[in-house]
Amino acid sequence: MEIFDYLEKYDYEQLVFCQDRNSGLKAIISIHDTTLGPALGGTRIWDYKSEEDAIVDALRLSKGMTYKNATAGLNLGGGKAVIIGDPTKIKSEELFRSFGRYIEGLGGRYITAEDMNTTTQDMALINDETDYVVGLEGKSGNPSPVTAFGVYRGILAAANEVFGSDDLTGKVVAVQGLGSVGYAVCEHLVNAGAKLFVTDIRKESIERAVNNLGVTAVSPDEIYNVECDIFTPCAMGAVINDFTVEQLKCKIVAGSANNQLAEEKHGEILREKGILYVPDFVINSGGVINVYEELLGYNKERAMKRASAIYDAVKKVIEISKRDNVPTFIAAERMAEERIEKIRKVNSIYLKE
């Protein structure tokens, strides 16, 4: 991988490698764009197959955060961090505090929060070394419920466009991933009267959903072939790829997973197949909205109100897609880039520090 070529191509600002032999920390922080404000994005832990996979994930995720924060109307840039390793084995106080010192060293250019395989308790350990962390207990806390609510609102907007109504009664939804966000999305959908088929790589997560929500379980490979109205990916990214895109039997793709399209061409293919794709960085922005409110002085009612407006953001993306005759993922990127460019011009006006 030619790293600087990649950074230049997509105009990234900074890529930071963090290593601490004492704690075993191996982490990567990617800062994509800080035009709108400091780069905010969570820290995830994953046992990547290679260091290059970890770098690519951090880069893709940070760019997604730039677009997510911009389309949500937040005064934040995009960043992301990944810690390499098995989350069941590597977590320790010294690892998170070492990582917190690296974040502190960036002087506020990057603000972290919880993400896949990290918790509010982990953030508290990072907070021992830096104030550039949000999603803390006693403040905004776990963002997953707000993320899930925003995803649900986005699904309603997509259903309104495709089926002519927000009513999900009897609609069949295939949900991939039953983590904290995916499970909460299932709760909203079941309460709305939808019929769910679900899957996860963890047997206990499937059993919990089946026992508590009365949903139907399928294997991870079968989820793409479920005949459904809506496919809702809530696990890892790149799940819409050369292999899976031809298997889908749905009218809508809308879920919480980041970077759902393996490549841009897959968004084009979904459009050609008559499937409405709701761009992930628009529909899953509830979590970052929640932690952004912490920076302002947390107010849950205000956070939920802003997350509810994801419905309107999805509608706007669909309008731009129709207006410009482009796939929805391009429409969403244009919406974000237009806002960034407008603020970039405002920032050109000199102010004495």
Side-chain angles (χ1 to χ4, degrees), residues 91-279:
K91 286 190 178 187
S92 67
E93 177 184 0
E94 58 269 28
L95 181 139
F96 287 114
R97 293 186 66 163
S98 296
F99 184 59
R101 283 181 167 257
Y102 278 107
I103 294 172
E104 179 68 18
L106 291 171
R109 282 179 48 76
Y110 171 66
I111 301 170
T112 198
E114 73 169 276
D115 199 284
M116 184 179 291
N117 294 320
T118 58
T119 66
T120 52
Q121 291 76 23
D122 300 331
M123 294 304 110
L125 294 173
I126 293 172
N127 188 220
D128 285 340
E129 301 295 337
T130 183
D131 289 330
Y132 300 121
V133 55
V134 289
L136 300 169
E137 289 287 356
K139 295 184 179 179
S140 67
N142 181 1
S144 298
V146 184
T147 303
F149 175 67
V151 171
Y152 171 64
R153 290 288 293 166
I155 290 173
L156 291 181
N160 184 275
E161 173 66 22
V162 174
F163 306 119
S165 170
D166 292 1
D167 187 4
L168 297 181
T169 303
K171 292 291 185 289
V172 179
V173 186
V175 181
Q176 179 189 51
L178 296 169
S180 54
V181 174
Y183 184 86
V185 170
C186 289
E187 289 180 311
H188 286 292
L189 294 172
V190 168
N191 290 337
K195 178 182 179 181
L196 269 58
F197 291 84
V198 304
T199 196
D200 196 282
I201 60 174
R202 295 159 297 192
K203 182 179 179 181
E204 61 272 19
S205 296
I206 293 176
E207 291 176 348
R208 177 192 181 204
V210 170
N211 293 335
N212 294 348
L213 303 177
V215 299
T216 302
V218 299
S219 72
D221 290 337
E222 290 175 323
I223 196 70
Y224 301 104
N225 285 304
V226 172
E227 291 195 15
C228 59
D229 298 295
I230 305 165
F231 174 59
T232 301
C234 296
M236 291 293 287
V239 294
I240 309 298
N241 51 52
D242 288 342
F243 179 68
T244 62
V245 73
E246 299 301 334
Q247 299 181 60
L248 294 176
K249 299 178 178 66
C250 60
K251 292 294 184 182
I252 296 169
V253 173
S256 66
N258 288 308
N259 299 316
Q260 294 167 26
L261 304 177
E263 298 177 55
E264 291 185 350
K265 69 177 183 179
H266 299 118
E268 301 272 6
I269 294 172
L270 288 177
R271 187 182 186 219
E272 291 169 2
K273 289 170 66 70
I275 299 173
L276 174 61
Y277 168 61
V278 181

Side-chain angles (χ1 to χ4, degrees), residues 307-318:
S308 183
I310 290 173
Y311 183 103
D312 302 309
V314 170
K315 281 290 193 179
K316 185 175 180 180
V317 168
I318 294 170

Side-chain angles (χ1 to χ4, degrees), residues 270-292:
L270 288 177
R271 187 182 186 219
E272 291 169 2
K273 289 170 66 70
I275 299 173
L276 174 61
Y277 168 61
V278 181
D280 46 68
F281 59 82
V282 177
I283 195 172
N284 69 9
S285 60
V288 73
I289 286 170
N290 193 60
V291 296
Y292 179 71

